[in-house]
Amino acid sequence: MKKLIIVLTALICLLTLASCVGKDKIPEGEYELTVVEEDYISILCEPLKKSYKPGETVIVKTGIICDAGVKVTLNGEKAISHELVEDENGRYSHHEWKFIMPEKHSYLKLEIVGFSPVLEYGITVNDKLNAILNDLEGQLYCNGEKVIIRSMRNDLIFETTPNVKISAPELIKNENGGFSHYEYFFSMPSHDLTVNVDLSMYEPSLVNFTFNNHTGIENLFITDFMEEYAEGDVVEIDVNPDALIEDRGIILKANGVLVEGKNEWCVLMPSKSLKIDAYLINSSFGENWKYLNIIDKDDLLANFADGYYQVGKRVVIYTDYLIDIISEDGIQIDGLCVDDGEGMVEYIYSFEMPNSDLTVEITCQNDDNNNNE
């Protein structure tokens, strides 16, 4: 009886061992990756697999250790690449290390190096203007961490102790293309920091500004435009919510360049004269509608403007001038001259809208029959 019990126990142990071996078995064609962390805390942000195929790119994510570095080696050699990754708020969130899995059982070693007992540093802000939007004093920062200062002003100057270099302001837009705020940033030193905020005494030069409303709709915009703006000013352009534009949309061009936005736009004033043109477009379009960008420097097309056109439909252009339509897309352009018998001539050009956005340039022909000559 005792022998039977011993045999059964042995069989159970063998079956248990077999099941464990099968569970941890490395898949065919892959090689095992052993992770070694020699420090008292784990710095891996995400677990790694037990094995990888040779040639596969392995991404190792490790946390940020304040006042310390992270060293990653594979089989005694450094990983291929290293990158500090930012989160949506612009703060560093973790490290990413990459390497190619070798064709052998490999060892990945993670170490914390240069550890210091002082982990994080604080910021004291003296801001009598109340110009800074975010609370810098409400958190601690690691050495080398990117710190962002948000403000509605672009004319701030900063004095810091110890001295750090703070970037020039960057214009940040909202999801509709309108003005949101400005952002300055710097790298946190290995000390507590004091930031004093003041206004710049620099007086920027004034630049001429022109706004042309080609929509034909009065009171379409609620913005009161000035004839001059200072260089660096933000010109905010907003559609009047009571304006009746039905199913049409609006586009803006700044010195001929399309401005991104939808019913809200902001344009940074350059160091030269700025001209903004507003046009109505058909906004009832989907994937089968493409944008036609017209470059008409000599106003040869009168009221014709940019817009969206359905793919495969013919675009018709009427003009009193004999013109050339130049396109890099090689589209077929048909022309027709109509004489009403009383000396009035009209030129009609048409082409089929391609399945892509299209830019065409209008130039005047030098022809004796041209009515402009």
Side-chain angles (χ1 to χ4, degrees):
M1 185 69 179
K2 290 183 178 179
K3 290 183 179 179
L4 179 61
I5 294 174
I6 293 172
V7 170
L8 289 175
T9 303
L11 287 173
I12 292 172
C13 292
L14 287 173
L15 289 172
T16 304
L17 179 61
S19 64
C20 292
V21 171
K23 183 178 180 180
D24 294 334
K25 184 179 179 181
I26 303 300
E28 185 177 353
E30 295 188 5
Y31 290 89
E32 185 178 359
L33 179 66
T34 300
V35 180
V36 180
E37 295 187 79
E38 294 193 343
D39 296 283
Y40 61 91
I41 58 173
S42 176
I43 55 176
L44 270 179
C45 294
E46 295 180 0
L48 296 168
K49 297 192 299 183
K50 295 288 185 181
S51 62
Y52 294 87
K53 295 179 181 179
E56 184 177 352
T57 299
V58 182
I59 300 177
V60 182
K61 298 181 180 181
T62 64
I64 294 177
I65 310 298
C66 291
D67 281 349
V70 178
K71 183 180 179 182
V72 177
T73 55
L74 179 71
N75 299 327
E77 299 181 358
K78 289 185 177 181
I80 299 175
S81 65
H82 167 248
E83 179 183 5
L84 265 173
V85 180
E86 296 180 357
D87 61 18
E88 59 184 9
N89 296 318
R91 298 190 66 181
Y92 292 127
S93 61
H94 64 276
H95 299 269
E96 280 193 1
W97 315 78
K98 296 180 183 179
F99 65 87
I100 303 299
M101 184 66 187
E103 196 172 351
K104 63 179 181 179
H105 178 196
S106 297
Y107 293 85
L108 183 72
K109 186 176 181 180
L110 308 176
E111 300 175 87
I112 299 175
V113 295
F115 187 79
S116 168
V118 180
L119 299 181
E120 297 175 310
Y121 306 98
I123 299 177
T124 300
V125 179
N126 298 319
D127 179 21
K128 296 180 180 179
L129 305 170
N130 292 321
I132 297 181
L133 301 176
N134 52 323
D135 183 13
L136 299 178
E137 296 185 335
Q139 52 190 322
L140 299 175
Y141 300 86
C142 301
N143 174 228
E145 184 174 352
K146 181 180 179 181
V147 182
I148 296 177
I149 300 175
R150 296 183 175 89
S151 176
M152 301 299 291
R153 305 188 65 116
N154 67 345
D155 56 351
L156 298 180
I157 57 174
F158 304 94
E159 179 183 320
T160 64
T161 306
N163 185 43
V164 297
K165 183 179 180 180
I166 299 181
S167 72
E170 178 184 352
L171 175 66
I172 305 300
K173 297 183 179 182
N174 61 29
E175 60 183 9
N176 293 321
F179 173 72
S180 175
H181 61 276
Y182 293 99
E183 288 187 354
Y184 308 77
F185 66 88
F186 63 91
S187 294
M188 189 68 189
S190 57
H191 302 277
D192 289 338
L193 184 69
T194 299
V195 179
N196 298 315
V197 184
D198 205 345
L199 290 179
S200 171
M201 296 295 104
Y202 169 69
E203 291 290 341
S205 57
L206 296 178
V207 185
N208 292 330
F209 175 82
T210 306
F211 185 82
N212 301 312
N213 184 358
H214 301 280
T215 66
I217 301 177
E218 296 182 359
N219 301 319
L220 179 57
F221 300 94
I222 60 176
T223 308
D224 292 326
F225 299 104
M226 299 185 295
E227 295 182 356
E228 290 182 324
Y229 286 89
E231 178 186 350
D233 279 353
V234 173
V235 182
E236 297 184 63
I237 305 172
D238 299 313
V239 172
N240 186 346
D242 296 326
L244 300 177
I245 59 175
E246 298 177 345
D247 64 341
R248 292 170 293 180
I250 301 170
I251 63 169
L252 298 187
K253 281 194 167 185
N255 288 344
V257 179
L258 192 67
V259 181
E260 297 294 334
K262 182 179 181 181
N263 293 347
E264 290 182 42
W265 300 267
C266 66
V267 181
L268 195 64
M269 197 66 190
S271 58
K272 61 180 181 180
S273 297
L274 178 64
K275 183 181 74 169
I276 299 289
D277 293 286
Y279 301 98
L280 280 179
I281 61 169
N282 182 354
S283 61
S284 301
F285 50 85
E287 293 182 359
N288 62 330
W289 292 72
K290 299 300 177 181
Y291 185 72
L292 175 63
N293 176 35
I294 300 289
I295 301 176
D296 182 19
K297 297 179 180 178
D298 298 321
D299 294 326
L300 299 175
L301 302 187
N303 295 326
F304 193 87
D306 302 357
Y308 283 88
Y309 293 84
Q310 194 169 9
V311 174
K313 296 294 184 179
R314 295 202 70 81
V315 179
V316 182
I317 298 174
Y318 301 90
T319 176
D320 295 333
Y321 305 93
L322 187 62
I323 62 173
D324 284 321
I325 303 179
I326 304 171
S327 168
E328 295 181 354
D329 295 61
I331 60 174
Q332 178 66 40
I333 300 174
D334 301 321
L336 176 65
C337 177
V338 178
D339 190 339
D340 65 358
E342 298 181 359
M344 298 296 294
V345 177
E346 183 178 43
Y347 298 95
I348 303 174
Y349 299 87
S350 67
F351 57 87
E352 188 175 289
M353 192 65 191
N355 190 23
S356 62
D357 292 342
L358 177 67
T359 296
V360 297
E361 183 174 358
I362 308 300
T363 61
C364 186
Q365 287 190 16
N366 293 321
D367 192 289
D368 293 338
N369 295 325
N370 195 322
N371 289 346
N372 279 328
E373 298 292 291

